[in-house]
Amino acid sequence: MSGVPQPRAQKTFYLETFGCQMNVHDSEKVVGTLLEEGYQQVDSIEKADLILYNTCSIRDKAEQKVFHRLADYKKLQAEGKKFGVLGCVAQQEGEKIFERAPHVSLVCGSASYTKLPEMLVQLDGKSRAADSGAADSGFLASLAMTNAGEGLGNEELTSLGSADETVRRSTDNLVRITGLDDRQTDKCFETEFTARTNPHRGYITIIEGCDKFCAYCVVPFTRGKERSRTSHSVLAEARQMADLGYSEIQLLGQNVNSYRDPSGNKSFAELLVAVGEVAGIRRVRFTTSHPRDFGRDIVEAIDARPALCNHVHLPVQSGSTRLLDAMQRLYTREQYLERIAWMKAARREISITTDVIVGFPGETEADFSQTLSLLDEVGYDGVFSFKYSARPNTPALKLDDAIPEEEKSRRLEVLMARQREIQVARYKRYVGIGCEVMVEGYNDSRAQWIGRTSQNKTLNFTVSAGPVPVVGSYVSVLVTRSFPNSLVGEMVGLVG
Ligand code: 5AD
Ligand code: SF4
């Protein structure tokens, strides 16, 4: 048999995603890229040759989760499995990951995903060389210098073509590859190989990175500077999705409404309208909006175009202007409430949700009670609340007056209890009202269909007579009961 090339079994990968919708969508692009490179996706670590974690570092807990996962499966390295860390923890921790989890072979931040194909070739090629003991000893010597972009004595290394990638061999003969572009990258991760997981509603990234530098937030350091895609390329992707049968599009960005069309054509509100006008698109969502850049034109667009969903996620973080200033949020409580007033004055009822941080350094009882009163004043349909978590590199690290963990927990509980009461009352208002939902699936254990309203509320429903709904279609539902986080109803009919 010697000399006859043996077909290699198809390489397999398992990918687990942590964190926000940006990460979920990045993972869809990473999966698409890997499939294109000949890998097959599998649903368990046991079946995989390559195990990837797309990580989140927004709070310490999220970051620790990844290192726990890596520790849990470390033993599988002996079976020849390789591990890769992608996303924000990769970007933030860089090569330190190799020290903390020496069995990791690949570290790749989100700004370097365009180079994943080359990195995979490196990983595959180098590990085969390592397996067969054919590594070039001179290679090792040259590696120490690759970070400086000098002394590249190896063809395969130079083919990576960038000074910020390193291929390194550790003492235990593992190949280690990093791809970590700096904050200054202008690139967006645009790829035609996006493996979207849902065939009816899908994400489109319109802006990446963040230049706001809120005092608590690690994102500007992990996702780089703000960069928008052209409206032309966003609309082309929307049309392509509509052709494939998608009817709902969710525009994504860390600050989606800070969008600046590089071709100078469209404002964010105009882009929303244009996506809503794509034939076949019935719903357009967008997240996350920054209050500073939230213009009245967005509200006007929602009011005028039923295809634009009447839901806005507008993170406030705190109800105290003093604290907003310390957080470097660039708006006051009054300015935030002015934006809320615009939405409340709209003809369509716009559902509003938010994010809140409790226990930011120096948050007094008075600051906190202003956050509670803001919840009452706005009447949110949903609040994502978090205990402040100190993050590397962020300006807030230098602030004194840390709030004890128990006090943060207490404030979080108080806030959640108050918001629960608000939501009970708000959701109750929908009983007896008809809503159009997109059918998302069927829950066997509850014997209920799962639907989502334009306002992004979950509306589960039963069908006593008439046609059976199809997942991805739109039906009309009469709301019969309410809970703090969802509604229940009965289908009235299909919507054409
Ligand atoms: N600690 C706690 N919460 C944070 N968030 C961002 N950074 C931190 C941090 N260091 C929250 C904010 C943001 C949401 C995505 O996560 O509320 O809007
Ligand atoms: Fe983080 Fe602030 Fe940027 Fe949002 S706007 S990603 S909270 S720095």
Side-chain angles (χ1 to χ4, degrees), residues 210 212-214 216-217 219-220 254-255 290 329:
C210 179
K212 293 281 191 297
F213 289 97
C214 300
Y216 50 80
C217 187
V219 167
Q254 233 70 50
N255 289 306
H290 191 288
R329 282 294 285 178

Side-chain angles (χ1 to χ4, degrees), residues 58-59 216-217 315 317 355-357 386-391:
I58 195 102
R59 282 168 291 276
Y216 50 80
C217 187
Q317 314 299 0
D355 294 344
V356 172
I357 296 176
F386 310 100
K387 290 190 274 184
Y388 167 72
S389 162
R391 305 310 294 132

